[in-house]
C-alpha cells in the first residue's frame, strides 16, 4: 500500500510541474490551453500502457511545440481545423514513433551531430524569446512568423520612443531586478 501512496505523490508532483508547462507550450503552438491538458493526460496514459522505462519523463517540450506550430502554419487552416490538424499530426507522429521503436531504430538519433542539436536549441530559444517579448513589455502581440513579431518589436521601438518601451515596462523591470540584472551587473 505504501508503494501506491508514493506513486500517487510522484504523479501529483509530476502533474504540478507538467500541466503549467503544457499550457505554456500550447501557447507556443498556437493552441488552446485545454488542448494541452488533454494531450498531457493522454500522453501520460499512453506511455503507461506502452512505455518501458521507469525513468523516462513524458511531457510536452518546447521543441515539439515549435515544430507543431511550424507544421500547423504550413497547413491551410480555417474555422476549427487547426485543432483537428494538430490532433492528426500528433497521432501520426505517435504512430511513427511506435513503429520506429518496434523496429529498434532509436539509436539513429545518435547520428545527429551535436552542433546541429545546439543550433536547433539556439534557434528555438530565440523563437520563444521573440514570441514572448510582446507580452513581457506590454505590447499587443502581432500574429505571424517570428520575423513579423521581431519586426513589430523593432518598429514599435523605433516610433520615436527608442527602447524606452522596454525600459518603462514594469514586467521587464521586475525581471531585471529579480535576477537577470544582478547577473549582468556583476560582469
Amino acid at each position: 500500500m505504501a508503494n501506491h501512496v508514493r506513486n500517487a505523490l510522484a504523479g501529483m508532483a509530476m502533474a504540478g510541474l507538467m500541466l503549467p508547462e503544457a499550457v505554456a507550450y500550447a501557447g507556443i503552438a498556437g493552441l488552446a490551453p485545454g488542448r494541452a491538458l488533454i494531450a498531457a493526460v493522454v500522453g501520460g496514459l499512453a506511455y503507461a500502457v506502452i512505455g518501458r522505462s521507469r525513468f523516462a519523463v513524458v511531457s510536452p517540450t518546447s521543441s515539439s511545440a515549435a515544430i507543431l506550430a511550424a507544421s500547423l502554419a504550413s497547413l491551410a487552416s480555417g474555422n476549427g481545423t487547426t485543432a483537428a490538424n494538430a490532433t492528426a499530426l500528433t497521432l501520426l507522429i505517435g504512430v511513427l514513433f511506435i513503429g520506429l521503436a518496434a523496429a529498434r531504430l532509436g539509436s539513429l538519433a545518435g547520428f545527429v551531430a551535436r552542433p546541429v542539436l545546439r543550433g536547433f536549441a539556439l534557434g528555438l530559444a530565440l523563437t520563444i524569446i521573440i514570441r514572448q517579448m510582446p507580452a513581457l513589455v506590454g505590447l499587443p502581440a502581432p500574429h505571424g512568423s517570428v520575423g513579423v513579431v521581431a519586426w513589430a518589436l523593432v518598429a514599435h521601438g523605433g516610433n520615436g520612443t527608442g527602447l524606452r518601451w522596454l525600459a518603462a515596462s514594469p514586467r521587464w523591470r521586475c525581471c531585471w531586478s529579480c535576477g537577470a540584472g544582478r547577473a549582468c551587473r556583476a560582469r
Side-chain angles (χ1 to χ4, degrees), residues 136-155:
L136 181 68
V137 297
L139 296 175
H143 296 288
S145 69
V146 175
V148 170
V149 176
W151 179 252
L153 286 168
V154 170

Side-chain angles (χ1 to χ4, degrees), residues 7-9 11 31 40 50-51 60 86 99 106 123 127 140 155-156 158 160:
N7 286 340
L9 286 174
L31 298 170
I50 61 172
T127 300
H156 186 76

Side-chain angles (χ1 to χ4, degrees), residues 106-151:
S107 61
L108 291 177
F111 290 112
V112 179
R114 287 206 184 269
V116 172
L117 293 174
R118 287 188 182 130
F120 177 76
L122 176 64
L124 182 62
L126 291 174
T127 300
I128 292 171
I129 289 168
I130 290 170
R131 287 207 177 269
Q132 296 302 314
M133 190 61 79
L136 181 68
V137 297
L139 296 175
H143 296 288
S145 69
V146 175
V148 170
V149 176
W151 179 252

